[in-house]
Each structure stands twice: as structure tokens, then as C-alpha cells.
């Protein structure tokens, strides 16, 4: 069993659909970096179960393993119905230990397959290692976990990246006071367009709507069984999303206005930038996705320099720069009315970025966004955002 040490600590954060998946894939290629993908996203089941994943007080090894090995409802249903986002790397088959119908442990959905082609075996190794952890606060448990994995793979720094983890900025600052943050920023309009086409984000939005409607999260432990639920309180279009009536076709067909996700982006950017501004400036690097696309080599060298002097690796930067492609779609292709509404929804996010001096070097034209936001949209998505962070 490897002997854990205390490696460097970095969180790759953003609003989700911002290019952070690409960054985590490129970091995985670095010889010194342990790229941890989607851990906190899957542990919290799309940020619904944050309090359970960051409990207060001492935590035993058994309790910590329960968090890591939990088989959460939303991810289980998406996997079972063939709706799992492409970021989920564990694909059940006759050759795998875990199957879609019974659920896949959260740490196995993406994090371990991102590290090895034998994730089931690594899962067993991890279970044995965690069993030996002494009782401690939850932050210390995660640090031990990450240190063990770094030792296991011979790395000197870990970089955890969960899509949408900007929402966890407060918890991460509390439990990882020595961590640094690589903040990936993408034009909010393209981010929103990508969210609107992503099963995970669309499902999250619907679950939040159900929570607001019912007064509780039906994907947690519902207070009543399916036969007892009063469906009169549920809008007809949301009934197929209840866990006991889950309809995969309804998920595929359901459409949510792109501007709603644009307002969500703005709301998260405002809260996230406030959290980033509270950190020492040397502990944060803002990188625009558009800059990464336009000048990949230069952007990767900036990232390597931020990781530390020993991480500057020209061979890595050159190899990875060649892997950076161009997105297939853009907000500019939307119909005029939809594009204008999206502009208004994203304007507050662009404004807060500019106020903090976070402006792109190339690739986007933030100044084209309208300075006026849609008040009704801001109100609805702000409620959803607040609910996600407190679940």
C-alpha cells in the first residue's frame, strides 16, 4: 500500500459546461498531476446532497466510505435509462461488477475510471485504504484520500474538477484552506446553450422545479410512497420526472429556455466571483475557455506556471495543444429573439467578471451583451441556485 504524502492542492472550478472537462483531460496527461474528475458532482448527486457530503464534526472511516460508495438516485436513474452524460465513464456491462439497475457507487461513476482502465480493482484498493483512516473532520478525510491516490499513481499534485463546482466555493474554502483555484470561464451564452442540451443540467433544473413545487426533494427520501403522493400539486409536464414515474423519453423531449440557463450562469458567476475575490490573488487563476481554444499552447503554459515552477513542461503543453478542438455550435446561430433574450440573461455575469478584471484575451465579445437582465428569470433561477447549494 502506498504511503500518503501531502501533495499540492488545486480545484479546477467553473459554472459547468465551461470547458473544465477538457482541462481535466489535459491535466490527466501531465506526468505530475493526478486529475480527479467529477468527484464532488457525483458525491452530491448534482449538488443536491451537499450537507451530507460535507458533514460537521468528526467522521469515522466507515461513514466516509458510505459517502464515497453511495448510489444516489438521480445518477442511478439517468444511468439505468441510458441518459447518463458522456462525462460518466463507468459503463455497465456483463464484464463490470456494478450494473445500472442497482446503481453505481459515486466514486466509480467518473473519478476512478478517469484514472485507470481497471476501476473495479482500484475501488477495492481504495476501500481497504479508507478503512484504515482514523476518525477526523471531513476535510481531513478528503485530503487523506487524495494523498493516497497521488501516492498510488506517483503524482505530486491533485486537481479535482467537478462540472459546476463553483457552487461549492464556500465549502471548498472551509475544508481546503491551502488549496488553489483554476477557474475556467466561458462565454455565458455558449455555456447556457450547452447546458440546455445536456441531460445532467436539464435534469437538475427539473428536479429543482419539483423541489419548489412539492416543498421537498422527491429524489431524496420522499415523505410518502408513490401511491400516496398527491399529484394534483405537480404540473402535468413535471409528472414524468418524479422518481416513481420516471420517463426517459420525457427527459429527452423536455425543453427548457436557453435564457433560463443564461440567468443561472449569471447568478453563479456573481456568487462565485465574490467567493474567488475573498481568496489570496496568487491562489486563483482565471482562464477563459475561448483563450484556450484560440491559443492553446499559451494557455496551457499559463496553467502549468500556476501549478508551480516544476510543472512547466513544454512537451506536455505541445502535445495537449494539438488535442484542443473547436465547439460544434455557438449561441450566434440561435434565432434573433432567443439570442437577444439570452444576451439579457447573461449581462449581469459579464458585468461582474469585468468588474473583477476577468476579461478574455481572445475569442469572445462580452461587450455585445445587453446591460439589462430579465428580472423574472433572475428571480426563478436564483431560487434554484440557492436550493442547490443548501441541499
Amino acid at each position: 500500500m502506498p504511503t500518503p504524502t501531502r501533495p499540492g492542492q488545486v480545484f479546477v472550478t467553473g459554472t459547468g459546461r465551461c470547458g473544465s472537462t477538457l482541462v481535466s483531460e489535459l491535466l490527466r496527461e501531465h506526468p505530475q498531476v493526478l486529475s480527479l474528475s467529477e468527484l464532488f458532482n457525483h458525491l452530491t448527486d448534482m449538488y443536491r446532497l451537499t450537507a451530507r457530503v460535507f458533514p460537521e464534526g468528526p467522521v469515522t472511516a466507515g461513514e466516509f466510505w458510505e459517502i464515497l460508495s453511495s448510489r444516489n438516485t438521480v445518477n442511478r436513474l439517468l444511468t439505468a435509462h441510458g441518459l447518463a452524460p458522456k462525462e460518466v465513464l463507468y459503463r455497465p456491462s456483463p464484464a463490470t461488477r456494478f450494473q445500472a439497475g442497482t446503481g453505481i457507487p459515486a466514486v466509480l461513476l467518473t473519478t476512478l475510471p478517469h484514472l485507470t482502465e481497471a476501476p473495479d480493482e482500484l475501488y477495492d484498493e481504495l476501500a481497504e485504504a479508507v478503512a484504515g483512516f482514523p476518525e477526523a473532520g471531513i476535510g481531513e478525510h478528503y485530503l487523506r484520500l487524495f494523498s493516497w491516490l497521488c501516492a498510488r499513481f506517483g503524482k505530486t499534485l491533485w486537481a479535482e474538477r467537478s462540472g459546476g463546482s463553483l457552487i461549492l466555493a464556500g465549502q471548498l474554502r472551509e475544508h481546503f484552506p491551502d488549496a488553489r483555484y483554476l477557474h475556467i470561464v466561458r462565454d455565458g451564452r455558449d455555456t447556457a446553450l450547452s447546458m440546455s442540451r445536456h441531460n445532467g443540467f436539464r435534469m437538475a433544473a427539473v428536479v429543482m422545479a419539483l423541489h419548489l413545487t412539492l416543498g421537498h426533494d422527491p429524489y431524496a427520501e420522499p415523505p410518502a410512497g408513490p401511491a400516496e403522493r398527491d399529484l394534483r400539486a405537480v404540473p402535468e409536464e413535471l409528472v414524468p420526472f418524479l422518481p416513481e414515474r420516471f420517463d426517459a423519453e420525457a427527459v429527452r423531449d423536455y425543453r427548457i429556455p436557453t435564457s433560463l440557463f443564461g440567468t443561472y450562469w449569471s447568478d453563479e458567476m456573481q456568487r462565485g466571483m465574490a467567493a474567488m475575490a475573498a481568496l489570496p490573488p496568487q491562489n486563483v487563476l482565471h482562464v477563459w475557455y475561448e483563450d484556450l481554444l484560440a491559443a492553446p499552447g499559451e494557455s496551457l503554459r499559463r496553467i502549468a506556471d500556476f501549478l508551480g515552477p516544476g510543472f512547466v513542461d513544454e512537451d506536455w503543453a505541445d502535445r495537449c495543444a494539438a488535442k484542443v478542438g473547436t465547439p460544434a455550435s455557438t449561441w450566434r446561430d440561435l434565432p434573433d429573439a432567443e439570442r437577444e433574450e439570452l444576451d439579457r440573461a447573461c449581462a449581469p455575469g459579464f458585468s461582474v467578471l469585468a468588474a473583477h478584471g476577468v476579461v478574455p484575451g481572445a475569442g469572445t465579445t462580452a461587450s455585445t451583451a445587453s446591460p439589462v437582465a430579465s428580472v423574472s428569470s433572475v428571480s426563478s433561477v436564483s431560487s434554484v441556485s440557492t436550493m442547490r447549494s443548501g441541499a
Side-chain angles (χ1 to χ4, degrees), residues 334-372:
L334 294 172
D336 290 348
E338 188 175 353
R339 188 174 63 248
E340 291 168 4
E341 186 175 1
L342 181 58
D343 257 349
R344 289 192 294 272
C346 292
F350 284 124
S351 294
V352 75
L353 284 167
H356 286 86
V358 182
V359 294
T364 189
T365 312
S367 60
T368 62
S370 166
V372 180

Side-chain angles (χ1 to χ4, degrees), residues 127-212:
E128 182 180 352
V130 169
F133 287 4
E135 185 175 88
I138 192 64
E140 181 64 22
H141 274 298
Y142 286 121
L143 288 172
R144 288 172 181 156
L145 167 68
F146 299 162
S147 295
W148 185 89
L149 285 168
C150 277
R152 167 68 171 75
F153 288 95
K155 307 296 184 178
T156 60
L157 175 146
W158 55 259
E160 198 281 336
R161 193 281 320 177
S162 288
S165 64
L166 197 58
I167 199 169
L168 294 180
Q171 288 90 342
L172 299 181
R173 284 173 50 203
E174 175 185 354
H175 295 289
F176 305 93
D178 298 324
R180 290 176 294 145
Y181 296 82
L182 174 56
H183 178 208
I184 309 301
V185 187
R186 184 184 187 186
D187 186 311
R189 295 160 293 191
D190 277 325
T191 304
L193 180 62
S194 183
M195 286 178 178
S196 72
R197 298 171 177 177
H198 187 272
N199 283 340
F201 272 91
R202 294 194 302 113
M203 186 67 185
V206 172
V207 173
M208 303 313 159
L210 283 169
H211 193 155
L212 288 171

Side-chain angles (χ1 to χ4, degrees), residues 50-295:
T50 303
R52 194 192 72 184
V53 173
F54 293 100
E56 298 180 359
V59 176
T60 66
E63 290 168 338
F64 184 51
W65 184 247
E66 285 183 9
I67 294 172
L68 297 178
S69 61
S70 58
R71 307 183 196 188
N72 298 318
T73 309
V74 173
N75 274 310
R76 185 172 69 244
L77 278 173
L78 290 178
T79 301
H81 290 274
L83 296 171
K86 66 178 182 179
E87 292 83 4
V88 174
L89 301 180
Y90 192 98
R91 298 295 174 170
S93 74
T96 59
R97 181 182 313 172
F98 297 96
Q99 303 302 317
T102 55
I104 299 163
V107 73
L108 260 175
L109 283 166
T110 298
T111 308
L112 299 189
H114 190 67
L115 298 174
T116 176
E117 294 183 357
D120 286 338
E121 289 80 355
L122 181 57
Y123 182 76
D124 290 338
E125 288 184 57
L126 194 59
E128 182 180 352
V130 169
F133 287 4
E135 185 175 88
I138 192 64
E140 181 64 22
H141 274 298
Y142 286 121
L143 288 172
R144 288 172 181 156
L145 167 68
F146 299 162
S147 295
W148 185 89
L149 285 168
C150 277
R152 167 68 171 75
F153 288 95
K155 307 296 184 178
T156 60
L157 175 146
W158 55 259
E160 198 281 336
R161 193 281 320 177
S162 288
S165 64
L166 197 58
I167 199 169
L168 294 180
Q171 288 90 342
L172 299 181
R173 284 173 50 203
E174 175 185 354
H175 295 289
F176 305 93
D178 298 324
R180 290 176 294 145
Y181 296 82
L182 174 56
H183 178 208
I184 309 301
V185 187
R186 184 184 187 186
D187 186 311
R189 295 160 293 191
D190 277 325
T191 304
L193 180 62
S194 183
M195 286 178 178
S196 72
R197 298 171 177 177
H198 187 272
N199 283 340
F201 272 91
R202 294 194 302 113
M203 186 67 185
V206 172
V207 173
M208 303 313 159
L210 283 169
H211 193 155
L212 288 171
T213 299
L214 297 172
H216 68 274
D217 181 353
Y219 282 83
E221 292 294 332
E228 302 172 15
R229 194 188 303 278
D230 184 0
L231 297 181
R232 291 174 298 179
V234 183
E236 183 178 352
E237 67 271 17
L238 295 181
V239 170
F241 295 94
L242 291 167
E244 69 272 15
R245 293 172 174 263
F246 192 82
D247 184 340
E249 288 303 316
V251 175
R252 292 188 180 95
D253 295 341
Y254 197 70
R255 294 294 175 264
I256 300 172
T258 307
S259 60
L260 185 69
F261 290 106
T263 308
Y264 171 77
W265 177 83
S266 286
D267 187 64
E268 285 301 292
M269 198 57 69
Q270 292 179 73
R271 298 196 310 150
M273 287 305 300
M276 295 288 106
L279 295 165
Q282 67 272 19
N283 285 0
V284 181
L285 176 66
H286 305 282
V287 174
W288 282 80
Y289 178 60
E290 286 77 12
D291 288 345
L292 177 60
L293 298 181

